[in-house]
Short mmCIF file of all heavy atoms in Angstrom, two decimals:
data_model
loop_
_atom_site.label_atom_id
_atom_site.label_comp_id
_atom_site.label_asym_id
_atom_site.label_seq_id
_atom_site.Cartn_x
_atom_site.Cartn_y
_atom_site.Cartn_z
N TYR Z 1 0.89 -1.18 -0.01
CA TYR Z 1 -0.03 -0.03 -0.07
C TYR Z 1 0.88 1.27 -0.03
O TYR Z 1 1.91 1.28 0.64
CB TYR Z 1 -0.85 0.07 1.29
CG TYR Z 1 -1.76 -1.13 1.31
CD1 TYR Z 1 -1.38 -2.32 1.97
CD2 TYR Z 1 -3.08 -1.21 0.91
CE1 TYR Z 1 -2.17 -3.49 2.06
CE2 TYR Z 1 -3.90 -2.27 0.91
CZ TYR Z 1 -3.48 -3.38 1.54
OH TYR Z 1 -4.33 -4.52 1.65
N TYR Z 2 0.46 2.24 -0.78
CA TYR Z 2 1.22 3.52 -0.81
C TYR Z 2 0.25 4.69 -0.50
O TYR Z 2 -0.92 4.64 -0.83
CB TYR Z 2 1.90 3.70 -2.17
CG TYR Z 2 2.89 2.64 -2.52
CD1 TYR Z 2 2.44 1.48 -3.25
CD2 TYR Z 2 4.15 2.84 -2.21
CE1 TYR Z 2 3.48 0.59 -3.55
CE2 TYR Z 2 5.15 1.82 -2.52
CZ TYR Z 2 4.75 0.79 -3.17
OH TYR Z 2 5.73 -0.18 -3.52
N ARG Z 3 0.83 5.81 0.13
CA ARG Z 3 0.11 7.03 0.17
C ARG Z 3 1.05 8.10 0.26
O ARG Z 3 2.25 7.88 0.56
CB ARG Z 3 -0.74 7.04 1.53
CG ARG Z 3 -0.06 7.10 2.75
CD ARG Z 3 -0.99 7.10 3.94
NE ARG Z 3 -0.28 7.34 5.23
CZ ARG Z 3 -0.78 7.22 6.37
NH1 ARG Z 3 -2.13 6.94 6.46
NH2 ARG Z 3 -0.05 7.46 7.49
N LEU Z 4 0.62 9.38 0.02
CA LEU Z 4 1.44 10.60 0.11
C LEU Z 4 1.16 11.30 1.38
O LEU Z 4 0.01 11.50 1.70
CB LEU Z 4 1.20 11.47 -1.08
CG LEU Z 4 1.96 11.25 -2.33
CD1 LEU Z 4 1.62 12.33 -3.37
CD2 LEU Z 4 3.47 11.28 -2.01
N LYS Z 5 2.17 11.75 1.98
CA LYS Z 5 2.03 12.66 3.15
C LYS Z 5 2.41 14.05 2.64
O LYS Z 5 3.59 14.28 2.21
CB LYS Z 5 2.94 12.33 4.31
CG LYS Z 5 2.81 13.14 5.51
CD LYS Z 5 3.79 12.62 6.64
CE LYS Z 5 3.90 13.62 7.77
NZ LYS Z 5 4.94 13.09 8.75
N ILE Z 6 1.52 14.99 2.60
CA ILE Z 6 1.75 16.33 2.08
C ILE Z 6 2.11 17.25 3.29
O ILE Z 6 1.22 17.60 4.04
CB ILE Z 6 0.60 16.89 1.30
CG1 ILE Z 6 0.20 15.96 0.21
CG2 ILE Z 6 0.79 18.36 0.83
CD1 ILE Z 6 -1.01 15.14 0.44
N ASN Z 7 3.37 17.62 3.41
CA ASN Z 7 3.85 18.36 4.49
C ASN Z 7 3.61 19.86 4.25
O ASN Z 7 4.20 20.48 3.36
CB ASN Z 7 5.31 18.04 4.82
CG ASN Z 7 5.53 16.59 5.01
OD1 ASN Z 7 5.03 16.01 5.93
ND2 ASN Z 7 6.38 16.01 4.14
N LEU Z 8 2.65 20.49 5.07
CA LEU Z 8 2.38 21.87 5.01
C LEU Z 8 3.28 22.76 5.83
O LEU Z 8 3.46 23.98 5.62
CB LEU Z 8 1.00 22.10 5.30
CG LEU Z 8 0.04 21.31 4.49
CD1 LEU Z 8 -1.43 21.57 4.94
CD2 LEU Z 8 0.13 21.51 3.00
N SER Z 9 3.83 22.20 6.93
CA SER Z 9 4.75 22.84 7.81
C SER Z 9 5.47 21.87 8.62
O SER Z 9 5.33 20.57 8.34
CB SER Z 9 3.97 23.86 8.71
OG SER Z 9 3.21 23.15 9.74
N ASP Z 10 6.19 22.14 9.69
CA ASP Z 10 6.89 21.15 10.53
C ASP Z 10 5.90 20.30 11.26
O ASP Z 10 6.26 19.21 11.66
CB ASP Z 10 7.95 21.87 11.48
CG ASP Z 10 9.06 22.52 10.73
OD1 ASP Z 10 9.32 22.02 9.63
OD2 ASP Z 10 9.72 23.45 11.34
N THR Z 11 4.64 20.86 11.45
CA THR Z 11 3.82 20.17 12.35
C THR Z 11 2.48 19.85 11.67
O THR Z 11 1.56 19.16 12.31
CB THR Z 11 3.48 20.87 13.68
OG1 THR Z 11 2.92 22.20 13.28
CG2 THR Z 11 4.77 20.97 14.49
N MET Z 12 2.19 20.37 10.44
CA MET Z 12 0.92 20.11 9.81
C MET Z 12 1.11 19.34 8.56
O MET Z 12 2.07 19.61 7.76
CB MET Z 12 0.31 21.46 9.57
CG MET Z 12 -0.16 22.25 10.74
SD MET Z 12 -1.08 23.79 10.35
CE MET Z 12 -2.42 23.21 9.58
N PHE Z 13 0.29 18.35 8.32
CA PHE Z 13 0.28 17.64 7.06
C PHE Z 13 -1.05 17.13 6.66
O PHE Z 13 -2.05 17.07 7.51
CB PHE Z 13 1.24 16.44 7.31
CG PHE Z 13 0.78 15.47 8.30
CD1 PHE Z 13 0.02 14.31 7.94
CD2 PHE Z 13 1.30 15.66 9.62
CE1 PHE Z 13 -0.40 13.43 8.88
CE2 PHE Z 13 0.85 14.66 10.59
CZ PHE Z 13 0.00 13.57 10.21
N GLU Z 14 -1.18 16.65 5.40
CA GLU Z 14 -2.38 15.97 4.97
C GLU Z 14 -1.97 14.64 4.25
O GLU Z 14 -0.81 14.59 3.76
CB GLU Z 14 -3.20 16.94 3.98
CG GLU Z 14 -3.69 18.16 4.59
CD GLU Z 14 -4.30 19.09 3.64
OE1 GLU Z 14 -4.17 18.87 2.42
OE2 GLU Z 14 -4.95 20.11 4.14
N THR Z 15 -2.73 13.68 4.22
CA THR Z 15 -2.47 12.46 3.52
C THR Z 15 -3.44 12.15 2.38
O THR Z 15 -4.57 12.57 2.53
CB THR Z 15 -2.40 11.22 4.48
OG1 THR Z 15 -3.61 11.15 5.13
CG2 THR Z 15 -1.28 11.47 5.51
N THR Z 16 -3.05 11.42 1.40
CA THR Z 16 -3.94 10.92 0.38
C THR Z 16 -4.59 9.59 0.76
O THR Z 16 -4.06 9.03 1.75
CB THR Z 16 -3.21 10.74 -0.94
OG1 THR Z 16 -2.16 9.79 -0.80
CG2 THR Z 16 -2.54 12.08 -1.49
N LEU Z 17 -5.61 9.30 0.04
CA LEU Z 17 -6.04 7.91 0.29
C LEU Z 17 -5.00 6.87 -0.24
O LEU Z 17 -4.30 7.13 -1.07
CB LEU Z 17 -7.28 7.64 -0.63
CG LEU Z 17 -8.62 8.30 -0.17
CD1 LEU Z 17 -9.57 8.34 -1.27
CD2 LEU Z 17 -9.15 7.60 1.14
N PRO Z 18 -4.94 5.76 0.62
CA PRO Z 18 -3.93 4.78 0.07
C PRO Z 18 -4.28 4.04 -1.13
O PRO Z 18 -5.52 3.92 -1.40
CB PRO Z 18 -3.82 3.74 1.36
CG PRO Z 18 -5.18 3.96 2.05
CD PRO Z 18 -5.58 5.35 1.81
N ILE Z 19 -3.32 3.62 -1.90
CA ILE Z 19 -3.63 2.79 -3.08
C ILE Z 19 -2.96 1.47 -2.93
O ILE Z 19 -1.94 1.28 -2.20
CB ILE Z 19 -3.14 3.50 -4.43
CG1 ILE Z 19 -1.61 3.80 -4.36
CG2 ILE Z 19 -3.88 4.74 -4.65
CD1 ILE Z 19 -1.01 4.30 -5.65
N THR Z 20 -3.48 0.45 -3.46
CA THR Z 20 -3.04 -0.89 -3.37
C THR Z 20 -2.25 -1.36 -4.66
O THR Z 20 -2.82 -1.20 -5.79
CB THR Z 20 -4.19 -1.90 -3.19
OG1 THR Z 20 -4.94 -1.36 -2.04
CG2 THR Z 20 -3.69 -3.20 -2.77
N VAL Z 21 -1.18 -1.97 -4.55
CA VAL Z 21 -0.51 -2.56 -5.61
C VAL Z 21 -0.27 -4.08 -5.44
O VAL Z 21 0.25 -4.57 -4.39
CB VAL Z 21 0.91 -1.93 -5.86
CG1 VAL Z 21 1.69 -2.57 -7.04
CG2 VAL Z 21 0.77 -0.47 -6.05
N ALA Z 22 -0.91 -4.81 -6.30
CA ALA Z 22 -0.72 -6.36 -6.27
C ALA Z 22 0.65 -6.74 -6.86
O ALA Z 22 0.99 -6.39 -7.92
CB ALA Z 22 -1.80 -7.05 -6.97
N LEU Z 23 1.41 -7.49 -6.12
CA LEU Z 23 2.75 -7.88 -6.46
C LEU Z 23 2.79 -9.34 -7.08
O LEU Z 23 3.73 -9.61 -7.91
CB LEU Z 23 3.70 -7.80 -5.29
CG LEU Z 23 3.77 -6.45 -4.64
CD1 LEU Z 23 4.67 -6.50 -3.50
CD2 LEU Z 23 4.26 -5.40 -5.63
N ASN Z 24 1.95 -10.27 -6.66
CA ASN Z 24 1.99 -11.65 -7.19
C ASN Z 24 0.87 -11.65 -8.38
O ASN Z 24 -0.35 -11.99 -8.10
CB ASN Z 24 1.64 -12.66 -6.18
CG ASN Z 24 2.89 -12.98 -5.35
OD1 ASN Z 24 3.99 -12.63 -5.68
ND2 ASN Z 24 2.63 -13.48 -4.17
N ILE Z 25 1.23 -11.32 -9.51
CA ILE Z 25 0.35 -11.25 -10.64
C ILE Z 25 0.48 -12.47 -11.43
O ILE Z 25 1.46 -12.79 -12.04
CB ILE Z 25 0.60 -10.06 -11.60
CG1 ILE Z 25 0.56 -8.82 -10.74
CG2 ILE Z 25 -0.43 -10.01 -12.72
CD1 ILE Z 25 0.90 -7.51 -11.51
N PRO Z 26 -0.53 -13.38 -11.45
CA PRO Z 26 -0.44 -14.67 -12.25
C PRO Z 26 -0.45 -14.45 -13.71
O PRO Z 26 -0.89 -13.41 -14.12
CB PRO Z 26 -1.69 -15.46 -11.75
CG PRO Z 26 -2.60 -14.39 -11.30
CD PRO Z 26 -1.83 -13.25 -10.77
N GLU Z 27 -0.04 -15.49 -14.43
CA GLU Z 27 -0.12 -15.45 -15.84
C GLU Z 27 -1.60 -15.53 -16.30
O GLU Z 27 -2.39 -15.96 -15.57
CB GLU Z 27 0.75 -16.47 -16.51
CG GLU Z 27 2.17 -16.52 -16.20
CD GLU Z 27 2.93 -15.19 -16.78
OE1 GLU Z 27 2.42 -14.70 -17.80
OE2 GLU Z 27 3.87 -14.65 -16.22
N ASN Z 28 -1.78 -15.04 -17.59
CA ASN Z 28 -3.13 -15.14 -18.17
C ASN Z 28 -4.29 -14.47 -17.38
O ASN Z 28 -5.26 -15.01 -17.21
CB ASN Z 28 -3.48 -16.62 -18.41
CG ASN Z 28 -2.54 -17.40 -19.23
OD1 ASN Z 28 -1.97 -16.79 -20.17
ND2 ASN Z 28 -2.29 -18.59 -18.88
N THR Z 29 -3.91 -13.33 -16.78
CA THR Z 29 -4.87 -12.50 -16.16
C THR Z 29 -4.73 -11.03 -16.60
O THR Z 29 -3.98 -10.81 -17.70
CB THR Z 29 -4.65 -12.46 -14.56
OG1 THR Z 29 -5.79 -11.87 -14.03
CG2 THR Z 29 -3.28 -11.84 -14.18
N TRP Z 30 -5.41 -10.12 -16.03
CA TRP Z 30 -5.45 -8.73 -16.49
C TRP Z 30 -4.82 -7.85 -15.32
O TRP Z 30 -5.05 -7.99 -14.26
CB TRP Z 30 -6.83 -8.29 -16.77
CG TRP Z 30 -7.45 -8.99 -17.98
CD1 TRP Z 30 -8.03 -10.19 -17.94
CD2 TRP Z 30 -7.40 -8.64 -19.30
NE1 TRP Z 30 -8.38 -10.61 -19.12
CE2 TRP Z 30 -7.97 -9.64 -19.99
CE3 TRP Z 30 -6.86 -7.53 -19.94
CZ2 TRP Z 30 -8.20 -9.54 -21.50
CZ3 TRP Z 30 -7.03 -7.48 -21.43
CH2 TRP Z 30 -7.69 -8.44 -22.00
N LEU Z 31 -3.96 -6.86 -15.78
CA LEU Z 31 -3.41 -5.90 -14.92
C LEU Z 31 -4.09 -4.55 -15.21
O LEU Z 31 -4.15 -4.12 -16.37
CB LEU Z 31 -1.87 -5.80 -15.19
CG LEU Z 31 -1.16 -4.73 -14.47
CD1 LEU Z 31 -1.08 -4.98 -13.04
CD2 LEU Z 31 0.33 -4.69 -14.96
N VAL Z 32 -4.52 -3.88 -14.11
CA VAL Z 32 -5.21 -2.62 -14.31
C VAL Z 32 -4.32 -1.47 -13.68
O VAL Z 32 -3.81 -1.67 -12.64
CB VAL Z 32 -6.60 -2.60 -13.76
CG1 VAL Z 32 -6.56 -2.88 -12.22
CG2 VAL Z 32 -7.42 -1.28 -13.94
N TYR Z 33 -4.13 -0.39 -14.42
CA TYR Z 33 -3.36 0.84 -13.97
C TYR Z 33 -3.79 2.02 -14.67
O TYR Z 33 -4.44 1.99 -15.83
CB TYR Z 33 -1.97 0.50 -14.18
CG TYR Z 33 -1.47 0.34 -15.68
CD1 TYR Z 33 -1.00 1.41 -16.22
CD2 TYR Z 33 -1.65 -0.83 -16.30
CE1 TYR Z 33 -0.58 1.35 -17.57
CE2 TYR Z 33 -1.19 -1.02 -17.63
CZ TYR Z 33 -0.75 0.07 -18.29
OH TYR Z 33 -0.35 0.04 -19.56
N PRO Z 34 -3.50 3.23 -14.12
CA PRO Z 34 -3.02 3.62 -12.91
C PRO Z 34 -4.10 3.46 -11.84
O PRO Z 34 -5.31 3.54 -12.18
CB PRO Z 34 -2.54 5.02 -13.01
CG PRO Z 34 -3.48 5.60 -13.93
CD PRO Z 34 -3.81 4.52 -14.98
N LEU Z 35 -3.68 3.24 -10.56
CA LEU Z 35 -4.60 3.24 -9.50
C LEU Z 35 -4.16 4.25 -8.44
O LEU Z 35 -3.03 4.21 -8.11
CB LEU Z 35 -4.63 1.76 -8.83
CG LEU Z 35 -5.07 0.60 -9.68
CD1 LEU Z 35 -4.92 -0.75 -9.06
CD2 LEU Z 35 -6.55 0.88 -9.98
N PRO Z 36 -5.05 4.99 -7.95
CA PRO Z 36 -6.46 5.22 -8.45
C PRO Z 36 -6.54 5.68 -9.87
O PRO Z 36 -5.52 6.35 -10.37
CB PRO Z 36 -7.00 6.27 -7.40
CG PRO Z 36 -6.13 6.22 -6.27
CD PRO Z 36 -4.73 5.89 -6.84
N ALA Z 37 -7.64 5.59 -10.53
CA ALA Z 37 -7.83 6.13 -11.89
C ALA Z 37 -8.11 7.68 -11.83
O ALA Z 37 -8.66 8.24 -10.98
CB ALA Z 37 -9.06 5.49 -12.53
N THR Z 38 -7.66 8.23 -12.88
CA THR Z 38 -7.79 9.76 -13.03
C THR Z 38 -8.68 10.00 -14.31
O THR Z 38 -9.93 9.94 -14.24
CB THR Z 38 -6.45 10.56 -12.99
OG1 THR Z 38 -5.65 9.92 -14.00
CG2 THR Z 38 -5.85 10.47 -11.81
N GLU Z 39 -8.06 10.18 -15.44
CA GLU Z 39 -8.88 10.36 -16.60
C GLU Z 39 -8.90 9.22 -17.52
O GLU Z 39 -9.69 9.10 -18.48
CB GLU Z 39 -8.22 11.58 -17.48
CG GLU Z 39 -8.31 12.90 -16.61
CD GLU Z 39 -7.74 14.10 -17.57
OE1 GLU Z 39 -7.18 13.89 -18.53
OE2 GLU Z 39 -7.92 15.27 -17.07
N ILE Z 40 -7.94 8.24 -17.26
CA ILE Z 40 -7.88 7.00 -18.18
C ILE Z 40 -7.44 5.90 -17.31
O ILE Z 40 -6.65 5.99 -16.40
CB ILE Z 40 -6.91 7.16 -19.32
CG1 ILE Z 40 -7.36 8.17 -20.43
CG2 ILE Z 40 -6.62 5.81 -19.97
CD1 ILE Z 40 -6.47 8.29 -21.55
N ILE Z 41 -8.10 4.69 -17.57
CA ILE Z 41 -7.67 3.43 -16.94
C ILE Z 41 -7.23 2.51 -17.99
O ILE Z 41 -7.84 2.47 -19.02
CB ILE Z 41 -8.81 2.82 -15.97
CG1 ILE Z 41 -8.24 1.89 -15.05
CG2 ILE Z 41 -9.93 2.34 -16.78
CD1 ILE Z 41 -9.16 1.55 -13.88
N ASN Z 42 -6.18 1.83 -17.73
CA ASN Z 42 -5.62 0.91 -18.71
C ASN Z 42 -5.71 -0.58 -18.21
O ASN Z 42 -5.57 -0.84 -17.04
CB ASN Z 42 -4.15 1.21 -18.96
CG ASN Z 42 -3.97 2.65 -19.39
OD1 ASN Z 42 -4.33 2.94 -20.57
ND2 ASN Z 42 -3.43 3.49 -18.71
N LEU Z 43 -5.97 -1.46 -19.17
CA LEU Z 43 -5.94 -2.86 -18.95
C LEU Z 43 -4.87 -3.54 -19.76
O LEU Z 43 -4.77 -3.21 -20.97
CB LEU Z 43 -7.26 -3.53 -19.32
CG LEU Z 43 -8.38 -3.41 -18.19
CD1 LEU Z 43 -9.64 -3.93 -18.84
CD2 LEU Z 43 -8.05 -4.06 -16.96
N ARG Z 44 -4.06 -4.47 -19.23
CA ARG Z 44 -3.15 -5.15 -19.94
C ARG Z 44 -3.22 -6.68 -19.70
O ARG Z 44 -3.19 -7.11 -18.54
CB ARG Z 44 -1.62 -4.72 -19.67
CG ARG Z 44 -0.60 -5.33 -20.51
CD ARG Z 44 0.80 -4.71 -20.33
NE ARG Z 44 1.28 -5.24 -19.14
CZ ARG Z 44 2.12 -4.54 -18.29
NH1 ARG Z 44 2.35 -3.23 -18.52
NH2 ARG Z 44 2.60 -5.10 -17.25
N TYR Z 45 -3.30 -7.48 -20.71
CA TYR Z 45 -3.39 -8.92 -20.64
C TYR Z 45 -1.96 -9.46 -20.39
O TYR Z 45 -1.09 -9.11 -21.14
CB TYR Z 45 -4.05 -9.55 -21.87
CG TYR Z 45 -4.16 -11.12 -21.76
CD1 TYR Z 45 -4.96 -11.67 -20.73
CD2 TYR Z 45 -3.56 -11.84 -22.71
CE1 TYR Z 45 -5.07 -13.03 -20.68
CE2 TYR Z 45 -3.77 -13.23 -22.60
CZ TYR Z 45 -4.50 -13.81 -21.65
OH TYR Z 45 -4.70 -15.23 -21.56
N THR Z 46 -1.78 -10.31 -19.33
CA THR Z 46 -0.46 -10.80 -18.97
C THR Z 46 -0.01 -12.07 -19.59
O THR Z 46 1.10 -12.56 -19.51
CB THR Z 46 -0.37 -10.86 -17.52
OG1 THR Z 46 -1.20 -11.91 -17.05
CG2 THR Z 46 -0.57 -9.64 -16.78
#
């Protein structure tokens, strides 16, 4: 899981929603990216 911590000062910050990245991708499946989606989402057959 990944997220961004946006540092506004030494003591103030905001964080983004966490995103998930699957690492064990089996063959003959589909990979979706980027996550989260913005204007386009892509699918790739493995």
Side-chain angles (χ1 to χ4, degrees):
Y1 301 88
Y2 296 92
R3 73 180 184 188
L4 272 182
K5 179 181 174 185
I6 303 101
N7 303 301
L8 305 176
S9 71
D10 290 340
T11 56
M12 295 182 66
F13 64 89
E14 299 172 351
T15 59
T16 62
L17 286 168
I19 59 175
T20 309
V21 177
L23 303 176
N24 283 340
I25 303 172
E27 297 296 328
N28 303 323
T29 190
W30 295 85
L31 174 66
V32 59
Y33 65 95
L35 295 174
T38 51
E39 296 182 354
I40 289 179
I41 195 164
N42 300 290
L43 281 174
R44 186 173 77 215
Y45 182 60
T46 63

